[in-house]
Amino acid sequence: MRAPILNLLLIASCAGTSLAQAQTQGQTIAPAPQTAAISPDAIKQREQELEAARARQKSAEEAQAKLKAEIASLGQDRTQLNQQLIDTAANVRTVETKIDEAEARLKTLNGREQQARASLDSRRADIVEVLAALQRAGRRTPPALLVRPEDALQSLRTAILLGAVVPELRGRAEKIASELGELVALRKNIAAERDQLASDRDNIRSDQTRLAALVDERQRQQASREKDLDAENSRAITLSKQVGDLQGLIAKMEQDLQSAAKAAEKAAEAAKQAEAKEAKEAKAAAANAAANAKPGPAIFKDRSRTSPAILFASAKGLLPLPVNGNKIRDFGGSDGVGGVQKGISLATKPGSQVTTPCDGWVVYAGPFRSYGQLLILNAGGGYHVLIAGMERISVNIGQFVLTGEPVATMGSTSQVASILATNASQPVLYVEFRKDGTPIDPGPWWAANEGEKVRG
């Protein structure tokens, strides 16, 4: 009679502590190394593992070859390449969000599991008494199944249904059964979440590989168009060391660098054309009320464009955030070092994908003073967008980029000095909008759902 009671105490109070640790770490407990000679079964197992590894390697090589063929088939078709880049970057960011959400759910479920275990642990006396009553009152001794919460739950439910529990213990038995049921359900949910998380991580690795190949192809094509690209990039870094502030850097780039000056010229020309177009549409709107409709995200769907789809000033409420993250500093607040925040700061996960929040021309891409890696876009109409804190930038000066196009990746820690000053260990992206050299609040430009994401 004592054996099943002790088994139940072991599972209900400690409830598989070592198993929980293994689940939490996503690992299995390996046996101690054997000093004896390797058995034929062990040799066979190792051969099977080696064969499986070879099969995985072959599969990866075939997938890589297929990807290269797909990219080669795009040729010089800029529209298709842009479409693939933006769609794949969007997939990466979507899976990043799913992984974050799954990790948050797992944290909650693990907390509830710990609470259930603690509750069962506090009810040892009830468990002992109820199980003892089961053994005394039952027609036969309960089988020794109580090695898992599932077994304890089944035994209690069966006894209650058969009326084997004396009336005064029935309520307590039902309470314990309820708690065990919750623990069993939690374990199932945790297992399902871990499986989904593993699947999402496999998916993001595949998408990241694809994205890296697409970015390499985009930059290869860009380099073939800009013969002096490397020399100009080096010159840009040299120029950046000669100026003391961001406005000076922007002016210096657009004045002294051929590609950046060309980008600025194109931005100004595009802004004039867009203004003329909007003026014409405004006149037509008087005769056609439909023309007054506010533009939506669909305005960015043309992947073949080589100038902004809309005037930056008219893009309020339409722009996506450049990275998945939580806002830790807002425009106008403290910057952590005694000054005022001129943009927003987003805490991200290591390795997060960074995409462009708007259409624009790259006028600077590289390190700059306390900003770490800095990317500056000329969005036209006197507007510039500054993005800083990335580990690696994947676009070049003079390049025109589309809204949502991948341009950089985050590192593992903060690269921005003002964030480092507050001992922030996670990577942080800094985003700043400027109009005619003056920082402005980017809040009105973010799409409504993006504004919800970054509420601090």
Coordinates of all heavy atoms in Angstrom, one line a residue, residues 133-143 153-167 170 173-174:
A133 N -7.2 6.0 1.3 CA -8.6 5.7 1.2 C -9.0 4.9 0.0 O -9.8 3.9 0.0 CB -9.5 6.9 1.3
L134 N -8.4 5.2 -1.1 CA -8.6 4.5 -2.4 C -8.2 3.0 -2.2 O -8.9 2.1 -2.6 CB -7.8 5.1 -3.5 CG -8.3 6.4 -4.2 CD1 -7.3 6.9 -5.2 CD2 -9.6 6.1 -4.9
Q135 N -7.0 2.8 -1.6 CA -6.6 1.5 -1.4 C -7.4 0.7 -0.4 O -7.6 -0.5 -0.6 CB -5.1 1.5 -1.0 CG -4.2 2.0 -2.1 CD -2.7 1.8 -1.8 OE1 -2.3 2.1 -0.7 NE2 -2.0 1.2 -2.7
R136 N -7.9 1.4 0.6 CA -8.7 0.6 1.6 C -10.1 0.3 1.1 O -10.6 -0.8 1.3 CB -8.8 1.5 2.9 CG -7.6 1.6 3.7 CD -7.9 2.1 5.1 NE -8.6 3.4 5.0 CZ -7.9 4.6 5.0 NH1 -6.6 4.6 5.1 NH2 -8.6 5.7 5.0
A137 N -10.7 1.3 0.3 CA -12.1 1.1 -0.1 C -12.2 0.4 -1.4 O -13.3 -0.1 -1.7 CB -12.7 2.5 -0.2
G138 N -11.2 0.4 -2.2 CA -11.3 -0.3 -3.5 C -11.4 -1.8 -3.4 O -11.0 -2.4 -2.5
R139 N -12.1 -2.4 -4.4 CA -12.2 -3.8 -4.4 C -10.8 -4.5 -4.7 O -10.6 -5.6 -4.4 CB -13.2 -4.2 -5.5 CG -14.6 -3.8 -5.2 CD -15.5 -4.3 -6.3 NE -16.9 -4.0 -6.0 CZ -18.0 -4.3 -6.7 NH1 -17.7 -5.0 -7.8 NH2 -19.2 -4.0 -6.4
R140 N -10.0 -3.7 -5.4 CA -8.6 -4.2 -5.6 C -7.7 -3.0 -5.4 O -8.0 -1.9 -5.6 CB -8.5 -4.8 -7.0 CG -8.9 -3.9 -8.1 CD -8.8 -4.7 -9.4 NE -9.1 -3.8 -10.5 CZ -9.1 -4.2 -11.8 NH1 -8.7 -5.4 -12.1 NH2 -9.4 -3.3 -12.8
T141 N -6.4 -3.3 -5.2 CA -5.4 -2.3 -5.0 C -5.2 -1.6 -6.3 O -5.0 -2.2 -7.3 CB -4.1 -2.9 -4.5 OG1 -4.4 -3.6 -3.3 CG2 -3.0 -1.9 -4.3
P142 N -5.2 -0.2 -6.2 CA -4.9 0.5 -7.5 C -3.5 0.1 -8.0 O -2.6 -0.1 -7.3 CB -4.8 2.0 -7.0 CG -5.6 2.0 -5.7 CD -5.4 0.7 -5.1
P143 N -3.5 0.0 -9.4 CA -2.2 -0.5 -10.0 C -1.1 0.6 -9.7 O -1.4 1.8 -9.5 CB -2.5 -0.6 -11.5 CG -3.7 0.3 -11.6 CD -4.5 0.2 -10.4
L153 N -4.0 11.2 -12.1 CA -5.3 11.8 -12.5 C -6.3 10.7 -12.9 O -7.4 10.7 -12.5 CB -5.1 12.8 -13.7 CG -6.4 13.4 -14.2 CD1 -7.1 14.2 -13.2 CD2 -6.0 14.3 -15.4
Q154 N -5.8 9.8 -13.7 CA -6.7 8.7 -14.2 C -7.2 7.9 -13.0 O -8.4 7.5 -12.9 CB -6.0 7.8 -15.2 CG -6.8 6.7 -15.8 CD -8.1 7.3 -16.5 OE1 -8.0 8.3 -17.2 NE2 -9.2 6.7 -16.4
S155 N -6.3 7.6 -12.1 CA -6.6 6.8 -10.9 C -7.7 7.5 -10.1 O -8.7 6.9 -9.6 CB -5.4 6.5 -10.1 OG -5.7 5.7 -9.0
L156 N -7.5 8.8 -9.8 CA -8.5 9.5 -9.0 C -9.8 9.6 -9.7 O -10.9 9.4 -9.1 CB -7.9 10.9 -8.7 CG -6.9 11.0 -7.6 CD1 -6.2 12.4 -7.6 CD2 -7.5 10.7 -6.3
R157 N -9.8 9.9 -11.0 CA -11.1 10.0 -11.7 C -11.9 8.7 -11.7 O -13.1 8.7 -11.5 CB -10.8 10.4 -13.1 CG -10.5 11.9 -13.3 CD -10.2 12.3 -14.7 NE -10.0 13.7 -14.9 CZ -9.5 14.3 -16.0 NH1 -9.1 13.5 -17.0 NH2 -9.4 15.6 -16.0
T158 N -11.2 7.6 -11.9 CA -11.8 6.3 -11.9 C -12.4 6.0 -10.5 O -13.6 5.5 -10.4 CB -10.8 5.2 -12.2 OG1 -10.2 5.5 -13.5 CG2 -11.4 3.8 -12.2
A159 N -11.7 6.3 -9.5 CA -12.2 6.0 -8.1 C -13.4 6.8 -7.8 O -14.4 6.4 -7.2 CB -11.1 6.3 -7.1
I160 N -13.4 8.1 -8.2 CA -14.5 9.0 -8.0 C -15.8 8.5 -8.7 O -16.9 8.4 -8.2 CB -14.2 10.4 -8.4 CG1 -13.1 11.0 -7.4 CG2 -15.4 11.3 -8.4 CD1 -12.6 12.3 -7.9
L161 N -15.6 8.1 -10.0 CA -16.7 7.6 -10.8 C -17.3 6.3 -10.2 O -18.5 6.0 -10.2 CB -16.3 7.4 -12.2 CG -16.0 8.6 -13.0 CD1 -15.4 8.3 -14.4 CD2 -17.3 9.4 -13.2
L162 N -16.4 5.5 -9.6 CA -16.9 4.2 -9.1 C -17.4 4.3 -7.6 O -17.8 3.3 -7.0 CB -15.7 3.1 -9.1 CG -15.3 2.8 -10.5 CD1 -14.1 1.8 -10.4 CD2 -16.4 2.1 -11.3
G163 N -17.3 5.5 -7.1 CA -17.7 5.7 -5.7 C -16.8 5.1 -4.7 O -17.2 4.8 -3.6
A164 N -15.5 4.9 -5.0 CA -14.6 4.2 -4.1 C -14.1 5.2 -3.1 O -13.4 4.7 -2.2 CB -13.4 3.7 -4.9
V165 N -14.3 6.5 -3.2 CA -13.8 7.4 -2.2 C -14.9 7.7 -1.1 O -16.1 7.9 -1.5 CB -13.4 8.7 -2.8 CG1 -12.8 9.7 -1.8 CG2 -12.4 8.4 -3.9
V166 N -14.6 7.6 0.1 CA -15.6 7.8 1.2 C -16.1 9.3 1.0 O -15.3 10.2 0.6 CB -15.0 7.6 2.6 CG1 -14.7 6.1 2.8 CG2 -13.7 8.4 2.7
P167 N -17.3 9.5 1.4 CA -18.0 10.8 1.1 C -17.2 12.0 1.6 O -17.0 13.0 0.9 CB -19.3 10.7 1.8 CG -19.6 9.3 1.8 CD -18.3 8.6 2.0
R170 N -14.4 12.8 -0.7 CA -14.7 12.9 -2.1 C -14.3 14.3 -2.7 O -13.7 14.5 -3.7 CB -16.1 12.7 -2.4 CG -16.5 12.7 -3.9 CD -18.0 12.4 -4.1 NE -18.3 12.4 -5.5 CZ -18.2 11.3 -6.3 NH1 -17.9 10.1 -5.7 NH2 -18.5 11.3 -7.6
A173 N -10.7 14.7 -3.0 CA -10.2 14.0 -4.2 C -10.4 14.7 -5.5 O -9.6 14.8 -6.4 CB -10.8 12.6 -4.2
E174 N -11.6 15.3 -5.5 CA -12.0 16.1 -6.8 C -11.1 17.3 -6.9 O -10.7 17.6 -8.0 CB -13.5 16.5 -6.7 CG -14.4 15.3 -6.9 CD -15.9 15.7 -6.7 OE1 -16.1 16.8 -6.1 OE2 -16.8 14.9 -7.1

